[in-house]
Amino acid sequence: MSKQAPKVELKVAVSSADLRSLGADVKCGTTRRIYFLDTADLALQQHGLIVRLRSTKGRPSDAVVKLRPVLPKALPGWLRNDNGFAVEIDALPDNYACSGALKRTLGRHEVERTVAARKPLARLLSGRQRRLLTAYANVPLDSLLTLGPVEVRRCRFELAASDHPLVAEEWTFPDGSSIAELSTRCPSAKAAQVAAETSSALRAHGIVPDDEPQVTKTEATLRYFRPLFANP
């Protein structure tokens, strides 16, 4: 699997208080506004597809279509050979999955300009990204709803007991509620070692994952916004 998915992103859900206790000052980091696209009944998610558009302050925007889980060998050649397509393993403390992401870089403020003009964000997807959606879900683009935005702050920091820098993210929803996550990337071959070292460093700060199944940022966001579009 390490040859097919050379990188692993290790993730763990934490609280905003945990970020503060670790000295991760997200307020001084990067600011993003994130949108997801899906139908009212989350048809894309049911087919393992995630469509995400990000507007990052001071940087180009981007659009990503993610497929999870995937079996890299089973992917069509046109997708595997696309320079914008990357495969990696997403790993939480209680589960992991191989995922593939097809990314398109957009112009600065392009996402926000499209939103302000009340135009569908799906128009920012590339032809290859639309082909990917059609191949795995065949959901009409005009049926996609905009779920968002979520205000995101993120920063990189290091723990004294770990050789691997961490990324801290805090996602804030329109009602003021928030979720937080820590993550780090490493080669697949070193995933077990990095996971053990990171876990040990976090435990030294009193941060231990809950026994309950962890919820990803995407899942939490879709759960938050879906009721706004549910039929009465």
Side-chain angles (χ1 to χ4, degrees):
M1 179 62 77
S2 61
K3 292 182 179 180
Q4 299 178 53
K7 292 184 179 180
V8 173
E9 184 176 18
L10 302 169
K11 308 175 182 179
V12 60
V14 295
S15 68
S16 297
D18 289 334
L19 297 186
R20 291 192 293 271
S21 70
L22 292 171
D25 189 0
V26 294
K27 292 183 179 180
C28 294
T30 303
T31 300
R32 284 176 172 168
R33 182 169 288 175
I34 296 182
Y35 301 83
F36 290 89
L37 302 183
D38 210 327
T39 62
D41 58 353
L42 302 184
L44 294 186
Q45 186 191 39
Q46 294 173 31
H47 286 85
L49 288 162
I50 299 166
V51 181
R52 182 190 69 209
L53 293 102
R54 299 186 299 196
S55 176
T56 304
K57 186 176 181 180
R59 298 180 186 178
S61 304
D62 62 60
V64 173
V65 176
K66 197 168 187 176
L67 183 62
R68 181 174 59 200
V70 298
L71 183 61
K73 287 184 177 180
L75 292 170
W78 67 266
L79 184 58
R80 289 199 314 270
N81 298 327
D82 192 297
N83 291 333
F85 186 73
V87 174
E88 71 176 12
I89 297 173
D90 297 325
L92 290 162
D94 54 354
N95 67 79
Y96 69 92
C98 187
S99 66
L102 185 58
K103 181 177 179 180
R104 181 191 185 193
T105 300
L106 303 169
R108 291 191 182 188
H109 314 301
E110 192 167 356
V111 170
E112 297 306 326
R113 282 199 299 266
T114 302
V115 171
R118 298 183 180 276
K119 295 180 179 179
L121 286 173
R123 71 200 306 266
L124 299 180
L125 300 179
S126 69
R128 287 291 181 96
Q129 289 175 322
R130 297 181 187 197
R131 183 178 178 183
L132 175 56
L133 291 178
T134 301
Y136 286 90
N138 198 24
V139 173
L141 290 180
D142 60 8
S143 69
L144 298 180
L145 304 170
T146 298
L147 308 177
V150 182
E151 302 292 337
V152 178
R153 292 182 180 273
R154 70 195 306 267
C155 70
R156 291 171 62 90
F157 71 105
E158 296 183 5
L159 292 176
S162 175
D163 294 329
H164 306 280
L166 295 174
V167 173
E169 292 193 24
E170 185 174 47
W171 289 38
T172 303
F173 299 107
D175 66 356
S177 62
S178 64
I179 56 175
E181 181 186 87
L182 295 172
S183 65
T184 187
R185 279 186 166 89
C186 67
S188 297
K190 295 185 177 181
Q193 174 189 344
V194 174
E197 291 178 0
T198 302
S199 177
S200 177
L202 292 176
R203 287 176 183 273
H205 286 79
I207 299 176
V208 181
D210 295 332
D211 292 332
E212 297 295 324
Q214 298 242 318
V215 176
T216 66
K217 302 185 299 294
T218 298
E219 290 171 333
T221 302
L222 296 181
R223 288 181 186 180
Y224 177 90
F225 285 103
R226 186 192 176 190
L228 303 180
F229 298 96
N231 293 325

